[in-house]
Amino acid sequence: AGSLMTTKHSQPQSTLAKSLTSTSTNTPYFKVAESTEIPSYVTKCPSNGPCSRLPPDCMTCNTNYSCIYGKPATFDCKVKPHVHCLDQNNHEQENFTINMTCQFCWQLPTTDYVCTNSTNCMTVSCPRQRYNATCTVRDHIHCLGNRVFPKMLYCNWTGGYKWSTALALSITLGGFGADRFYLGQWREGLGKLFSFGGLGIWTLIDVLLIGVGYVGPADGSLYI
């Protein structure tokens, strides 16, 4: 009886173990879902346009830093994933060449990059003040090195004050301090107002100083 019970109980356990083993062996592993997220640079890349017109962020190029500065250079490039461009025959291609001038990005003309502006420095000062700016190369310009770079620039911001308006006020109403009030120089304006333009002498001096641009806005900005 004991032997019979052992046989009866062992058979279902063996069958169950075999079933579990069979199930675990035949069950396929779950594959990790592939990422379908489109990279952020794709928004800057025109679709089905000429490969030579793609922005630098849309391609990877084998640049050669031993090229001769200022001379034309040709580099082999390849489009990044999810970027589609065409050749001259309107055929899609991945590998192509670009022509550019051999120079680093920070050596480009000022018209080829955009820099941050500062409204904290004085534009009218001697010597002229500089500020630390962060510059970014425009999308259609190709160059060597980092496309974002720091640069020391002269203060050149404006607060919206017009030189012609300041000069006109100095000539017509300078005796009442209108020119100084317009430029935001309230103390000097009150001084001219209560002294009748320094009996005319201060008025004439201000006409000359504003005319040559020596006297500017109180916030240190440039005239427009």
Side-chain angles (χ1 to χ4, degrees):
S3 175
L4 183 61
M5 289 182 63
T6 304
T7 305
K8 288 184 178 181
H9 284 287
S10 61
Q11 185 175 359
Q13 291 178 357
S14 176
T15 304
L16 180 60
K18 183 177 180 181
S19 176
L20 290 174
T21 304
S22 175
T23 303
S24 60
T25 304
N26 296 332
T27 302
Y29 292 102
F30 289 100
K31 294 184 178 179
V32 179
E34 296 182 357
S35 177
T36 58
E37 183 179 357
I38 299 177
S40 59
Y41 61 79
V42 176
T43 58
K44 301 180 181 179
C45 308
S47 180
N48 296 327
C51 293
S52 58
R53 297 293 184 89
L54 285 175
D57 292 338
C58 305
M59 64 182 75
T60 303
C61 299
N62 296 324
T63 54
N64 182 9
Y65 289 89
S66 62
C67 58
I68 301 175
Y69 172 74
K71 298 294 183 179
T74 302
F75 300 118
D76 295 327
C77 299
K78 181 179 180 179
V79 295
K80 291 184 177 180
H82 302 284
V83 178
H84 304 280
C85 64
L86 307 176
D87 58 8
Q88 296 179 351
N89 298 323
N90 292 330
H91 295 154
E92 186 172 350
Q93 63 176 354
E94 295 184 359
N95 301 308
F96 57 96
T97 59
I98 60 169
N99 299 318
M100 56 177 285
T101 303
C102 180
Q103 59 184 346
F104 287 95
C105 295
W106 59 269
Q107 296 172 321
L108 291 171
T110 55
T111 55
D112 291 341
Y113 54 83
V114 179
C115 299
T116 56
N117 206 347
S118 174
T119 58
N120 297 325
C121 58
M122 299 290 291
T123 58
V124 182
S125 62
C126 186
R128 291 185 62 186
Q129 290 187 5
R130 294 174 179 260
Y131 69 98
N132 292 318
T134 301
C135 302
T136 305
V137 181
R138 299 183 184 274
D139 288 340
H140 64 283
I141 302 297
H142 297 276
C143 55
L144 300 176
N146 295 327
R147 299 184 60 82
V148 179
F149 53 90
K151 199 163 189 178
M152 292 289 293
L153 299 178
Y154 285 111
C155 299
N156 60 350
W157 65 284
T158 178
Y161 296 95
K162 293 184 177 181
W163 172 82
S164 57
T165 303
L167 183 60
L169 290 174
S170 183
I171 295 173
T172 58
L173 300 174
F176 301 99
D179 50 353
R180 295 282 184 164
F181 286 129
Y182 171 73
L183 296 175
Q185 302 175 7
W186 295 95
R187 294 180 180 179
E188 292 81 354
L190 292 174
K192 290 182 70 174
L193 177 62
F194 291 111
S195 65
F196 301 103
L199 299 178
I201 298 176
W202 194 350
T203 302
L204 294 176
I205 294 175
D206 270 358
V207 171
L208 294 175
L209 295 179
I210 293 176
V212 299
Y214 183 80
V215 173
D219 58 5
S221 63
L222 292 174
Y223 287 116
I224 58 174

